[in-house]
């Protein structure tokens, strides 16, 4: 009897110990995916923030009408199962998927989609520009939505497919939490979408948790829970990945360490719109055409791209990423180093200050190589990291670097999205406010044309003018590289998404 009691007590202790172990180490569960991010989430509102690291979470909680197919820029349906475009390119009619429910349990209708789109278009929110060309949004049946444009816009579907494109939010949540702010304050840290995951925990600066939506209309997510800790130190992420405490390092894994990954780790990579580009301020030494020619000779990415990124980079062909447009006549960097040295000797001394968009490892790596290359022709260059967000205010800054090194990637896979984001007169991310009237006219003409060789030729010509003037110098396109445990697969990375933004809904173990 005593032995039976002892055995029972021992068994009960072991069960309790095992249960406690699961509570203390819930991340060890096969039903939990653990993916860190380097930066905190400013807002979870899909209409009101240019979130970078949070895209994976936001786009698994919310959905749009269409999306890019993983690994490509092919547009496929999401909440829309099909669509039709009128002959004049002004009307888009979307047939919606049946049986979609919001996380609050209510059924989604075309009226709900219209309400979300109107919030985006009319709310004065950060991403309202995506629907600035929309004249009318109406539900013509419970599952049919018609969108009427002010002018033909061949890039419209790309804008809808963008990771920052308009998403569908529960109108019940919008109405319930509207404090005369279109529910913006509530949506900063809460959510109610239709995606494969629902937001379960928002602990600012610490971690975020998503729970599987078991009533999801499409293919169910594999993992019951996604834990997203904020780990701003990449070295800590590496240690935790190797010790098994997280499942992936989504971005920033040192390129030099990729060839020698430890057993159990692997790489998922895909083409990307991560185009490292130099922007020159007005009045910089590059406005002298000879000095510009010498500097272009020194910074020619064909010389150093392999040293920086190995097999994971491609020399830029134009101001547009290759995945957006492959030009017929790629830009050409001069290669006569002796002539470059002679120019700097004759014109010198030439000093350059390079501002880095952030302190991220990639910017440091590229800037160090550029400084070395410029020194080889007699140009003295220095670099410093700009404070967070400062790159977007350089136009009005009292002190400006001569060159800004940034990743100039568009928010959608169409050349219009690239040109009108960075290079036209009123472009929202025209860092130094420089533009060329002729290029603006070409871009405007191209925006009215249907996709094809004529349209691309206009964009290409505009890009060549911008490069020739030294306004922007495209350098290299770097692949999106995710290092993760070999126990997970189907990460669903997409070229237009910011680096490291994987699809939690598609991942399987």
């Amino acid at each position: 009897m005593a032995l039976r009691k002892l055995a029972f007590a021992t068994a009960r202790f072991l069960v309790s110990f095992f249960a406690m172990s699961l509570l203390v180490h819930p991340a060890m569960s096969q039903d939990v995916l653990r993916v860190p991010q380097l930066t905190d989430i400013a807002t979870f509102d899909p209409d009101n923030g240019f979130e970078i690291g949070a895209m994976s979470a936001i786009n698994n909680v919310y959905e749009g009408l269409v999306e890019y197919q993983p690994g490509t820029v092919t547009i496929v349906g999401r909440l829309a199962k099909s669509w039709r475009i009128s002959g004049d390119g002004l009307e888009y009619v979307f047939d919606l998927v049946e049986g979609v429910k919001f996380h609050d349990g209510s059924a989604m209708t075309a009226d709900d989609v219209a309400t979300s789109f109107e919030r985006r278009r009319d709310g004065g929110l950060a991403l309202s520009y995506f629907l600035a060309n929309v004249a009318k949004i109406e539900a013509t049946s419970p599952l049919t939505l018609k969108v009427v444009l002010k002018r033909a816009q061949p890039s419209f579907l790309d804008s809808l497919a963008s990771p920052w494109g308009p998403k569908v939010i529960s109108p019940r949540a919008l109405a319930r939490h509207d404090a005369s702010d279109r529910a913006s304050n509530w949506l900063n840290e809460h959510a109610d979408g239709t995606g494969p995951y629902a937001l379960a925990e928002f602990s600012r600066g610490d971690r975020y948790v998503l729970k599987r939506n078991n009533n999801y209309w499409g293919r169910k997510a594999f993992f019951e829970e996604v834990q997203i800790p904020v780990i701003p130190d990449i070295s800590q992420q590496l240690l935790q990945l190797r010790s098994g405490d997280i499942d992936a390092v989504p971005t920033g894994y040192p390129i030099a360490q990729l060839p020698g990954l430890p057993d159990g780790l692997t790489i998922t990579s895909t083409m990307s719109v991560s185009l490292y580009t130099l922007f020159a301020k007005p009045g910089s030494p590059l406005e002298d055409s000879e000095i510009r020619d010498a500097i272009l000779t020194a910074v020619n990415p064909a010389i150093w791209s392999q040293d920086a990124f190995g097999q994971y980079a491609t020399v830029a062909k134009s101001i547009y990423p290759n995945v957006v447009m492959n030009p017929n006549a790629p830009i050409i960097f001069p290669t006569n180093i002796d002539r470059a040295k002679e120019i700097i000797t004759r014109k010198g001394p030439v000093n350059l200050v390079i501002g880095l968009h952030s302190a991220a490892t990639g910017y440091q790596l590229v800037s160090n190589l550029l400084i070395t290359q410029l020194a080889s022709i007699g140009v003295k260059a220095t670099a410093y990291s700009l404070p967070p967000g400062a790159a977007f205010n350089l136009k009005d800054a009292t002190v400006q670097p001569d060159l800004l090194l940034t990743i100039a990637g568009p928010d959608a896979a169409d050349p219009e999205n690239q040109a009108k984001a960075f290079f036209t007169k009123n472009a929202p991310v025209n860092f130094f406010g420089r533009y060329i009237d002729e290029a603006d006219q070409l871009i405007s003409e191209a925006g009215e044309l249907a996709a094809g060789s004529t349209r691309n030729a206009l964009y290409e010509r505009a890009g060549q003018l911008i490069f020739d003037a030294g306004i922007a110098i495209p350098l290299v396109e770097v692949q999106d590289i995710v290092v993760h445990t070999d126990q997970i697969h189907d990460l669903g990375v997409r070229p237009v998404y910011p680096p490291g933004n994987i699809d939690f809904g598609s991942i399987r173990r």
Side-chain angles (χ1 to χ4, degrees), residues 293-347:
D293 190 75
I295 289 171
L296 289 174
T297 304
V299 302
N300 183 347
I303 301 172
W304 53 265
S305 66
Q306 290 292 312
D307 293 332
F309 301 107
Q311 64 180 347
Y312 298 101
T314 304
V315 172
K317 295 181 180 180
S318 73
I319 65 170
Y320 313 99
N322 289 339
V323 71
V324 172
M325 190 180 75
N326 193 7
N328 288 321
I331 58 173
I332 298 173
F333 284 81
T335 58
N336 191 333
I337 289 291
D338 290 336
R339 180 175 181 274
K341 292 177 179 178
E342 184 275 323
I343 290 171
I344 299 304
T345 299
R346 172 164 47 86
K347 295 270 188 173

Side-chain angles (χ1 to χ4, degrees), residues 10-275:
T10 301
R12 186 168 57 183
F13 169 76
L14 290 173
V15 170
S16 299
F17 178 79
F18 180 69
M20 287 298 295
S21 296
L22 289 179
L23 290 173
V24 175
H25 300 290
M28 298 305 290
S29 169
Q30 292 291 304
D31 292 330
V32 176
L33 178 69
R34 306 148 303 167
V35 180
Q37 60 185 53
L38 284 165
T39 56
D40 200 9
I41 297 176
T43 176
F44 213 82
D45 187 338
D47 292 333
N48 208 25
F50 287 97
E51 293 293 345
I52 301 297
M55 273 293 106
S56 290
I58 291 173
N59 282 276
N60 275 273
V61 170
Y62 293 106
E63 299 175 291
L65 295 179
V66 296
E67 65 179 352
Y68 290 117
Q69 189 174 15
T72 75
V73 292
T74 300
I75 296 173
V76 295
R78 188 77 181 219
L79 293 177
K81 62 182 180 181
S82 62
W83 54 89
R84 302 174 295 283
I85 307 171
S86 63
D88 60 7
L90 293 177
E91 291 189 1
Y92 289 68
V93 178
F94 297 92
D95 300 312
L96 306 182
V97 174
E98 298 180 38
V100 177
K101 291 186 177 181
F102 290 100
H103 297 151
D104 62 17
S106 60
M108 186 199 77
T109 68
D111 278 323
D112 298 334
V113 180
T115 298
S116 287
F117 276 36
E118 286 164 355
R119 177 184 190 262
R120 167 76 70 105
R121 181 190 62 179
D122 304 333
L125 304 172
L127 303 179
S128 293
Y129 71 91
F130 274 85
L131 298 178
N133 186 38
V134 171
K136 186 178 182 181
I137 309 164
E138 65 174 329
T140 58
S141 82
L143 290 174
T144 307
L145 183 80
K146 182 166 76 171
V147 178
V148 181
L149 305 184
K150 300 173 185 176
R151 62 167 179 81
Q153 182 187 346
S155 64
F156 183 61
L157 282 178
D158 279 282
S159 292
L160 295 184
S162 165
W164 294 278
K167 305 296 187 293
V168 181
I169 308 170
S170 167
R172 269 67 60 183
L174 292 176
R176 191 162 52 248
H177 300 287
D178 186 3
S180 299
D181 63 350
R182 296 180 181 265
S184 294
N185 188 57
W186 185 80
L187 287 169
N188 280 337
E189 299 185 2
H190 304 84
D192 194 345
T194 63
Y197 283 97
L199 179 63
E201 180 182 337
F202 191 104
S203 298
R204 190 175 293 280
D206 181 21
R207 74 168 194 164
Y208 308 93
V209 177
L210 308 182
K211 289 288 187 180
R212 183 172 57 207
N213 175 12
N214 290 321
N215 294 318
Y216 184 55
W217 61 269
R219 184 191 187 198
K220 302 297 187 293
F222 178 85
F223 292 95
E224 180 180 338
E225 179 176 298
V226 179
Q227 298 176 358
I228 310 170
V230 179
I231 306 177
D233 185 345
I234 190 65
S235 63
Q236 284 300 313
Q237 290 194 20
L238 301 186
L239 289 173
Q240 292 194 33
L241 178 64
R242 290 165 185 168
S243 65
D245 293 325
I246 58 176
D247 295 301
V249 169
T251 185
Y253 202 102
I255 296 287
Q257 296 182 28
L258 293 178
L261 287 180
D263 291 342
L265 299 183
T266 190
I267 296 170
T268 291
S269 64
T270 189
M271 55 186 175
S272 170
V273 295
S274 295
L275 174 56

Side-chain angles (χ1 to χ4, degrees), residues 445-496:
E445 291 177 24
E448 299 283 347
L449 299 178
S453 58
T454 301
R455 183 174 187 260
N456 284 353
L458 293 174
Y459 283 122
E460 185 175 332
R461 174 60 183 154
Q464 188 69 53
L465 290 171
I466 292 164
F467 174 74
D468 289 343
I471 292 175
I473 304 169
L475 299 171
V476 294
E477 300 174 29
V478 180
Q479 292 182 24
D480 189 357
I481 305 166
V482 181
V483 178
H484 56 90
T485 170
D486 60 12
Q487 297 299 304
I488 59 175
H489 55 88
D490 295 341
L491 274 63
V493 290
R494 292 166 167 86
V496 180

